[in-house]
Amino acid sequence: MRRATLLPLWLTYTFLYTPVVVLVVMSFNRSDSPYEWSGFSTAWYGTLAGDDEVLRGLANTLIVAAGATALSTVLGTLLAVGLARHASRSRLLPALSVLPAVLPDIVLAIGLLAFYSLVSATLGLQSVLLAHTVFGLAFVTAVVRTRIAHVDPSLEEASRDLGAGEVTTFLRITLPTLAPGIVAGALLTFTLSLDEFVIAFFTAGPKDPTLPIVIYSMIRFGVTPEINALATLLLAVSFTVVIAAQRVSRLTEAL
Amino acid sequence: MRARLVLLGPGLSYLAVLLLLPLALLIGYTVFRRGRFGGIAYEDGRTGENFARLADPLYTGVLTDSLRIAAVTTLLALLLGYPTAYAISRLPGRWRTVALILVVLPFWTNFLIRTYAWIVLLSSRGVVNSALTGIGVIDRPLKLLYTEPAVVLGLLYAYLPLMVLPLYSAIERVDPRLLEASADLGARPARTFWSVTLPHTLPGVLTGCVFVFVPSLGNFVVPELLGGGHTVMVGNLIRDQFLNARDWPFGSVLALALMAFLVLLLMAQAWAGRRLGGR
């Protein structure tokens, strides 16, 4: 009985991890074909380390993710606090704030492309950054609003009763109590922005591709085992980050 | 009043300019014609022909293909995801978190890389075909890649965690006293599952299905990379109208059709959720 219940779990894990394991194994392949094994080698990691396009893509991605995270964290936090205080009866404004997260990415992407073209904006890193801020703003607002719902409002009242001004209360009471939500929202935005492809594909322009765009053209136009090496590195990074985040959140829960 | 402006102003202005205005632009574009060099020809305005083109069998075919592929993906995700979520909920407490993390871990890896992995597995000289010919099951490689099943597989792989998570939290929330009561009254585990667990988790089933169906429907990367251009979904069509055919008005019509369908779906889900929750 117990065995039978666990069977689907093993099936799912096999499904989820077979492709991952195959990529990792194939990244150490000596052959020029990404599919056929012909002996162990780490040569493709060397090729990857010398690939300027990949490195530039990585740099572009980090710039966009950092910028979009900073911008959406500030805008999203203010918006979340504002919605909690001043729009408690409105259902329209909260709905607007989550719209970018539920809208199909391709619709947001072509809408932004149409807008940039209308105002004759040059497509480049700045247009991707502003585009990523749209969905980042939605995620930061959502996460911070959840945090606000669990915070005792009497803290802010006490601060004002004791004579602190609006700004002092915000900086010394509101922000610190919301900090875990703000950090969580920022991390989420950063991670999503690193991986985001569809919106960047439409708004990046030809000169400054982000890493996902570079990966896309590697897959479409020239598959070599170099991409297996890149895939393995990205897998290692994201697995480490997720597990570390899990450890940290368990640690903060314990405190 | 000033605090209100400082708090709400920046975020709402940002969304107004970079979200509402672009969407309004797409709605506006639908009534114009394609310009001679792409873009929009404003002087030839007020035409319903962009909407009429939706009825062209060429496009209705793509729309029904997209719906079928997204629906099959969702069904498979449910068939695999429900037993998985159920199994996780039966694990001892400390193993549940580990089991859940293992389900979502691949999800945090680059989407293109996850799709690419299936090219390595399914291509004619790929790992699956080499293994099958190696052990002598087949003589010639099977055509696995660039087929509709490959597209379904890729979408299933990409979005399965979005099915498991809401199902798990729904199964987790079923009151254990109900299960005990059912067992005390003599029901076998299978009977308890059909009469108690499954009906109580239907809202979670709905949520999971929407979570998988919605992103599957608009996806254009998986059909392109794993379908090899033979499988065209509505996302590919929208992309092509904007980047290749440069027919922005018709591309906007397609995008709005996609959105209108999703809004109807979400409304149906909310309605069904209320009915299921209220009994």
Side-chain angles (χ1 to χ4, degrees), chain A residues 12-13 16-17 36 130 216 228, chain B residues 14 84 99 102 116 157 224:
Chain A
T12 296
Y13 286 151
L16 289 177
Y17 287 94
E36 284 161 300
L130 292 176
Y216 177 75
N228 295 339
Chain B
Y14 198 93
T84 302
L102 283 175
Y116 162 71
Y157 189 67
E224 177 163 311

Side-chain angles (χ1 to χ4, degrees), chain B residues 126-279:
Chain B
V127 174
V128 172
N129 271 318
S130 316
L132 289 179
T133 40
I135 55 173
V137 180
I138 49 170
D139 307 331
R140 276 183 302 158
L142 299 170
K143 184 168 174 54
L144 303 171
L145 194 60
Y146 306 141
T147 59
E148 190 174 303
V151 175
V152 170
L153 197 65
L155 291 172
L156 178 66
Y157 189 67
Y159 301 126
L160 183 63
L162 294 180
M163 179 63 89
V164 175
L165 289 182
L167 283 177
Y168 170 76
S169 68
I171 296 170
E172 171 91 302
R173 270 201 304 268
V174 174
D175 190 341
R177 286 174 301 181
L178 286 177
L179 304 177
E180 279 166 33
S182 173
D184 288 349
L185 292 169
R188 288 167 184 279
R191 178 71 203 272
T192 302
F193 176 79
W194 284 109
S195 316
V196 182
T197 311
L198 191 60
H200 275 88
T201 51
L202 279 183
V205 170
L206 274 176
T207 310
C209 286
V210 169
F211 279 6
V212 174
F213 187 85
V214 169
S216 299
L217 189 63
N219 195 300
F220 72 86
V221 177
V222 173
E224 177 163 311
L225 295 181
L226 301 183
H230 306 291
T231 307
V232 179
M233 289 177 72
V234 60
N236 304 76
L237 210 52
I238 297 174
R239 194 264 323 260
D240 291 342
Q241 294 304 319
F242 267 80
L243 298 186
N244 301 340
R246 302 207 35 96
D247 190 342
W248 290 20
F250 186 55
S252 304
V253 167
L254 289 169
L256 291 177
L258 175 66
M259 263 178 62
F261 182 81
L262 293 179
V263 168
L264 285 178
L265 191 77
L266 292 175
M267 282 165 65
Q269 185 216 6
W271 176 81
R274 269 200 307 278
R275 292 219 30 188
L276 290 170
R279 57 190 216 166

Side-chain angles (χ1 to χ4, degrees), chain A residues 73-162:
Chain A
T73 305
V74 174
L75 294 173
T77 304
L78 291 177
L79 186 58
V81 175
L83 287 175
R85 279 203 206 147
H86 300 292
S88 44
R89 260 157 288 141
S90 160
R91 288 174 64 185
L92 197 68
L93 296 183
L96 173 66
S97 78
V98 298
L99 183 60
V102 292
L103 203 65
D105 47 10
I106 189 166
V107 176
L108 185 56
I110 57 170
L112 284 163
L113 174 64
F115 171 73
Y116 286 144
S117 142
L118 184 79
V119 299
S120 311
T122 323
L123 297 184
L125 286 188
Q126 74 290 342
S127 56
V128 189
L129 193 157
L130 292 176
H132 282 189
T133 303
V134 179
F135 68 78
L137 175 53
F139 284 106
V140 173
T141 309
V143 176
V144 176
R145 285 185 73 210
T146 327
R147 175 80 195 169
I148 292 175
H150 293 99
V151 166
D152 187 355
S154 56
L155 276 175
E156 287 184 2
E157 283 164 32
S159 165
R160 276 185 223 108
D161 288 349
L162 292 169

Side-chain angles (χ1 to χ4, degrees), chain A residues 164-226:
Chain A
E166 204 52 63
V167 176
T168 313
T169 304
F170 187 81
L171 291 179
R172 302 192 58 174
I173 305 293
T174 315
L175 274 188
T177 48
L178 298 184
I182 297 172
V183 171
L187 285 177
L188 187 62
T189 303
F190 190 78
T191 320
L192 290 171
S193 177
L194 285 185
D195 265 359
E196 204 288 323
F197 168 68
V198 174
I199 297 171
F201 179 68
F202 281 91
T203 57
K207 274 216 323 269
D208 296 307
T210 58
L211 190 58
I213 299 176
V214 175
I215 294 174
Y216 177 75
S217 31
M218 284 170 94
I219 298 174
R220 281 203 60 189
F221 305 113
V223 182
T224 68
E226 186 188 349

Side-chain angles (χ1 to χ4, degrees), chain A residues 52-65 125 209-211:
Chain A
D52 284 342
E53 205 168 340
V54 169
L55 296 177
R56 236 189 352 221
L58 180 63
N60 286 338
T61 297
L62 290 172
I63 293 168
V64 165
L125 286 188
T210 58
L211 190 58

Side-chain angles (χ1 to χ4, degrees), chain B residues 20-44:
Chain B
L20 293 184
L21 198 59
L23 290 179
L25 219 53
L26 291 185
I27 296 173
Y29 280 176
T30 58
V31 300
F32 292 105
R33 286 213 181 91
R34 172 182 180 275
R36 188 173 300 170
F37 305 106
I40 307 292
Y42 292 102
E43 61 274 19
D44 293 339

